[in-house]
Every structure is written in structure tokens, then in C-alpha cells.
Amino acid sequence: MKQAQGYKTIMEKWVELQQGYELEDSMRKLEVKDICDLYEIWCFIKVKNIVQDVMKELGKDA
């Protein structure tokens, strides 16, 4: 089968399918986060982006 035409495509699709199943299993294992924790993470990301933008304006890539 390894030498048959189309084997590579079949294997690539099989790997994609397996990864999809693994991702789905991982998503089921995700836990519910507290809204306070999510807000803190969101604030951190926003502040990081603001500082990064200011540094770029000053000509100092962060």
C-alpha cells in the first residue's frame, strides 16, 4: 500500500483526522474559568499591546 498512488494523501488526511479527534478530546477537558481570572488575563494583554504600540512609536521595538 505504501507504493500505491494516493497513499500520501490518504495518510495526510488520516493524520488530520486523528489530530481533530485529539483536539476535540482536549477541548472537552478544558475547565471553566472564573470571570475575574479571564478579565485579569484580558487586561494584561491589553496593557501589553498598549505598551508595545507606544514603544514602536518611540522607535524602540519591544
Side-chain angles (χ1 to χ4, degrees):
M1 184 171 174
K2 289 182 180 179
Q3 295 176 353
Q5 188 174 10
Y7 176 76
K8 179 180 178 182
T9 304
I10 292 170
M11 284 303 298
E12 288 172 351
K13 297 301 177 188
W14 176 255
V15 170
E16 287 177 23
L17 182 62
Q18 289 296 100
Q19 289 174 345
Y21 283 134
E22 290 173 10
L23 179 61
E24 185 177 336
D25 286 341
S26 298
M27 290 179 70
R28 289 184 189 148
K29 294 177 186 174
L30 293 176
E31 61 187 46
V32 176
K33 299 284 187 190
D34 185 34
I35 191 70
C36 296
D37 293 336
L38 293 175
Y39 182 71
E40 184 177 344
I41 292 167
W42 179 81
C43 288
F44 174 81
I45 292 170
K46 291 299 280 186
V47 169
K48 178 197 130 321
N49 289 340
I50 291 169
V51 169
Q52 200 170 31
D53 291 343
V54 168
M55 295 299 284
K56 284 180 183 177
E57 287 178 12
L58 295 173
K60 302 175 183 177
D61 291 335

